[in-house]
Short mmCIF file of all heavy atoms in Angstrom, two decimals:
data_model
loop_
_atom_site.label_atom_id
_atom_site.label_comp_id
_atom_site.label_asym_id
_atom_site.label_seq_id
_atom_site.Cartn_x
_atom_site.Cartn_y
_atom_site.Cartn_z
N PRO A 1 -8.59 8.00 -2.32
CA PRO A 1 -9.38 8.09 -3.55
C PRO A 1 -10.89 8.21 -3.31
O PRO A 1 -11.59 8.87 -4.09
CB PRO A 1 -9.04 6.80 -4.29
CG PRO A 1 -7.67 6.46 -3.82
CD PRO A 1 -7.63 6.90 -2.38
N LEU A 2 -11.41 7.59 -2.25
CA LEU A 2 -12.83 7.75 -1.94
C LEU A 2 -13.16 9.19 -1.61
O LEU A 2 -14.18 9.72 -2.06
CB LEU A 2 -13.23 6.85 -0.77
CG LEU A 2 -13.57 5.42 -1.10
CD1 LEU A 2 -13.62 4.56 0.16
CD2 LEU A 2 -14.89 5.33 -1.85
N GLN A 3 -12.32 9.84 -0.83
CA GLN A 3 -12.57 11.23 -0.45
C GLN A 3 -12.55 12.13 -1.68
O GLN A 3 -13.42 13.00 -1.84
CB GLN A 3 -11.54 11.69 0.58
CG GLN A 3 -11.69 10.99 1.92
CD GLN A 3 -10.52 11.26 2.84
OE1 GLN A 3 -9.36 11.05 2.47
NE2 GLN A 3 -10.82 11.71 4.05
N THR A 4 -11.58 11.91 -2.56
CA THR A 4 -11.49 12.71 -3.78
C THR A 4 -12.72 12.50 -4.65
O THR A 4 -13.31 13.45 -5.16
CB THR A 4 -10.20 12.35 -4.55
OG1 THR A 4 -9.08 12.57 -3.70
CG2 THR A 4 -10.08 13.17 -5.81
N ALA A 5 -13.12 11.23 -4.81
CA ALA A 5 -14.28 10.92 -5.65
C ALA A 5 -15.56 11.51 -5.06
O ALA A 5 -16.44 11.98 -5.80
CB ALA A 5 -14.41 9.41 -5.84
N PHE A 6 -15.69 11.51 -3.73
CA PHE A 6 -16.88 12.10 -3.10
C PHE A 6 -16.96 13.58 -3.43
O PHE A 6 -18.05 14.11 -3.68
CB PHE A 6 -16.86 11.88 -1.59
CG PHE A 6 -17.63 10.68 -1.12
CD1 PHE A 6 -17.30 9.41 -1.56
CD2 PHE A 6 -18.70 10.81 -0.25
CE1 PHE A 6 -18.01 8.30 -1.14
CE2 PHE A 6 -19.43 9.71 0.18
CZ PHE A 6 -19.08 8.45 -0.27
N MET A 7 -15.82 14.26 -3.45
CA MET A 7 -15.82 15.69 -3.80
C MET A 7 -16.18 15.87 -5.26
O MET A 7 -17.03 16.71 -5.61
CB MET A 7 -14.46 16.31 -3.51
CG MET A 7 -14.16 16.48 -2.04
SD MET A 7 -12.66 17.41 -1.68
CE MET A 7 -11.45 16.61 -2.69
N GLU A 8 -15.57 15.10 -6.13
CA GLU A 8 -15.80 15.25 -7.56
C GLU A 8 -17.24 14.93 -7.99
O GLU A 8 -17.76 15.56 -8.91
CB GLU A 8 -14.83 14.35 -8.33
CG GLU A 8 -13.39 14.78 -8.20
CD GLU A 8 -12.41 13.75 -8.71
OE1 GLU A 8 -12.79 12.59 -8.96
OE2 GLU A 8 -11.23 14.13 -8.85
N GLU A 9 -17.85 13.98 -7.32
CA GLU A 9 -19.21 13.57 -7.68
C GLU A 9 -20.28 14.30 -6.86
O GLU A 9 -21.45 13.98 -6.96
CB GLU A 9 -19.37 12.06 -7.49
CG GLU A 9 -18.52 11.22 -8.41
CD GLU A 9 -18.95 11.31 -9.87
OE1 GLU A 9 -20.11 11.66 -10.14
OE2 GLU A 9 -18.11 11.03 -10.74
N PHE A 10 -19.87 15.26 -6.04
CA PHE A 10 -20.79 16.00 -5.17
C PHE A 10 -21.61 15.05 -4.30
O PHE A 10 -22.81 15.21 -4.12
CB PHE A 10 -21.70 16.93 -5.98
CG PHE A 10 -20.93 17.92 -6.80
CD1 PHE A 10 -20.72 17.70 -8.16
CD2 PHE A 10 -20.39 19.05 -6.21
CE1 PHE A 10 -19.98 18.60 -8.92
CE2 PHE A 10 -19.65 19.95 -6.96
CZ PHE A 10 -19.45 19.72 -8.32
N ALA A 11 -20.91 14.03 -3.77
CA ALA A 11 -21.55 13.00 -2.96
C ALA A 11 -21.75 13.44 -1.51
O ALA A 11 -22.42 12.75 -0.76
CB ALA A 11 -20.74 11.71 -3.01
N ALA A 12 -21.17 14.55 -1.14
CA ALA A 12 -21.35 15.08 0.21
C ALA A 12 -22.04 16.43 0.09
O ALA A 12 -21.45 17.37 -0.42
CB ALA A 12 -20.01 15.24 0.91
N GLN A 13 -23.27 16.50 0.53
CA GLN A 13 -23.97 17.78 0.47
C GLN A 13 -23.97 18.40 1.87
O GLN A 13 -23.15 19.25 2.14
CB GLN A 13 -25.35 17.60 -0.14
CG GLN A 13 -25.21 17.31 -1.62
CD GLN A 13 -26.53 17.19 -2.34
OE1 GLN A 13 -27.55 17.67 -1.90
NE2 GLN A 13 -26.49 16.56 -3.49
N CYS A 14 -24.81 17.95 2.77
CA CYS A 14 -24.73 18.50 4.12
C CYS A 14 -23.51 17.92 4.84
O CYS A 14 -22.96 18.53 5.73
CB CYS A 14 -26.01 18.26 4.92
SG CYS A 14 -26.14 16.64 5.70
N GLY A 15 -23.09 16.71 4.43
CA GLY A 15 -21.88 16.11 4.98
C GLY A 15 -22.07 15.25 6.21
O GLY A 15 -21.14 14.57 6.64
N PHE A 16 -23.25 15.26 6.79
CA PHE A 16 -23.42 14.54 8.05
C PHE A 16 -23.24 13.04 7.89
O PHE A 16 -22.64 12.39 8.72
CB PHE A 16 -24.77 14.85 8.71
CG PHE A 16 -24.78 14.48 10.15
CD1 PHE A 16 -24.20 15.31 11.09
CD2 PHE A 16 -25.32 13.29 10.57
CE1 PHE A 16 -24.16 14.96 12.43
CE2 PHE A 16 -25.30 12.92 11.91
CZ PHE A 16 -24.71 13.76 12.84
N CYS A 17 -23.72 12.47 6.81
CA CYS A 17 -23.62 11.03 6.60
C CYS A 17 -22.28 10.62 6.02
O CYS A 17 -21.95 9.43 5.97
CB CYS A 17 -24.74 10.53 5.69
SG CYS A 17 -24.53 11.02 3.95
N THR A 18 -21.48 11.57 5.57
CA THR A 18 -20.31 11.27 4.76
C THR A 18 -19.31 10.35 5.44
O THR A 18 -18.81 9.41 4.82
CB THR A 18 -19.62 12.57 4.31
OG1 THR A 18 -20.59 13.37 3.61
CG2 THR A 18 -18.44 12.30 3.41
N SER A 19 -18.99 10.58 6.70
CA SER A 19 -17.98 9.72 7.34
C SER A 19 -18.44 8.27 7.39
O SER A 19 -17.67 7.35 7.11
CB SER A 19 -17.61 10.24 8.72
OG SER A 19 -18.71 10.22 9.59
N GLY A 20 -19.70 8.04 7.71
CA GLY A 20 -20.21 6.68 7.73
C GLY A 20 -20.24 6.06 6.35
O GLY A 20 -19.92 4.88 6.17
N MET A 21 -20.64 6.85 5.35
CA MET A 21 -20.65 6.36 3.97
C MET A 21 -19.25 5.99 3.51
O MET A 21 -19.04 4.95 2.88
CB MET A 21 -21.23 7.42 3.02
CG MET A 21 -22.69 7.68 3.17
SD MET A 21 -23.66 6.32 2.49
CE MET A 21 -25.29 7.07 2.59
N LEU A 22 -18.28 6.86 3.82
CA LEU A 22 -16.90 6.58 3.41
C LEU A 22 -16.39 5.29 4.03
O LEU A 22 -15.74 4.48 3.34
CB LEU A 22 -15.99 7.75 3.81
CG LEU A 22 -16.09 9.00 2.96
CD1 LEU A 22 -15.38 10.17 3.63
CD2 LEU A 22 -15.52 8.76 1.56
N MET A 23 -16.69 5.06 5.29
CA MET A 23 -16.17 3.86 5.95
C MET A 23 -16.88 2.60 5.44
O MET A 23 -16.24 1.56 5.25
CB MET A 23 -16.27 3.98 7.46
CG MET A 23 -15.44 5.13 8.03
SD MET A 23 -13.76 5.29 7.36
CE MET A 23 -12.96 3.85 8.01
N ALA A 24 -18.17 2.68 5.18
CA ALA A 24 -18.88 1.53 4.60
C ALA A 24 -18.33 1.23 3.21
O ALA A 24 -18.12 0.07 2.85
CB ALA A 24 -20.38 1.81 4.55
N ALA A 25 -18.07 2.28 2.42
CA ALA A 25 -17.52 2.10 1.08
C ALA A 25 -16.11 1.55 1.13
O ALA A 25 -15.74 0.68 0.32
CB ALA A 25 -17.55 3.43 0.33
N LYS A 26 -15.30 2.01 2.07
CA LYS A 26 -13.94 1.50 2.19
C LYS A 26 -13.94 0.02 2.51
O LYS A 26 -13.17 -0.76 1.93
CB LYS A 26 -13.15 2.26 3.24
CG LYS A 26 -11.71 1.73 3.34
CD LYS A 26 -10.84 2.56 4.21
CE LYS A 26 -9.39 2.14 4.23
NZ LYS A 26 -9.05 0.78 3.91
N ALA A 27 -14.81 -0.39 3.42
CA ALA A 27 -14.89 -1.82 3.76
C ALA A 27 -15.25 -2.64 2.52
O ALA A 27 -14.68 -3.71 2.28
CB ALA A 27 -15.91 -2.05 4.87
N LEU A 28 -16.17 -2.12 1.72
CA LEU A 28 -16.55 -2.82 0.48
C LEU A 28 -15.36 -2.92 -0.46
O LEU A 28 -15.05 -4.00 -0.95
CB LEU A 28 -17.70 -2.09 -0.22
CG LEU A 28 -18.02 -2.59 -1.64
CD1 LEU A 28 -18.53 -4.02 -1.61
CD2 LEU A 28 -18.99 -1.65 -2.32
N LEU A 29 -14.70 -1.80 -0.73
CA LEU A 29 -13.60 -1.81 -1.70
C LEU A 29 -12.41 -2.62 -1.22
O LEU A 29 -11.66 -3.17 -2.03
CB LEU A 29 -13.18 -0.37 -2.04
CG LEU A 29 -14.24 0.46 -2.77
CD1 LEU A 29 -13.70 1.85 -3.08
CD2 LEU A 29 -14.74 -0.24 -4.02
#
């Protein structure tokens, strides 16, 4: 669901930070 939401909210632009952001967010959730 995090990956889907990142696509829907245009949260990944260049994408370089995305993997780290996803893992930090997963730990939170």
Side-chain angles (χ1 to χ4, degrees):
L2 276 166
Q3 292 170 307
T4 302
F6 265 60
M7 289 188 309
E8 293 168 347
E9 295 292 338
F10 302 100
Q13 289 183 21
C14 83
F16 198 79
C17 72
T18 304
S19 63
M21 290 286 189
L22 285 167
M23 298 315 292
K26 181 172 185 336
L28 170 65
L29 295 181

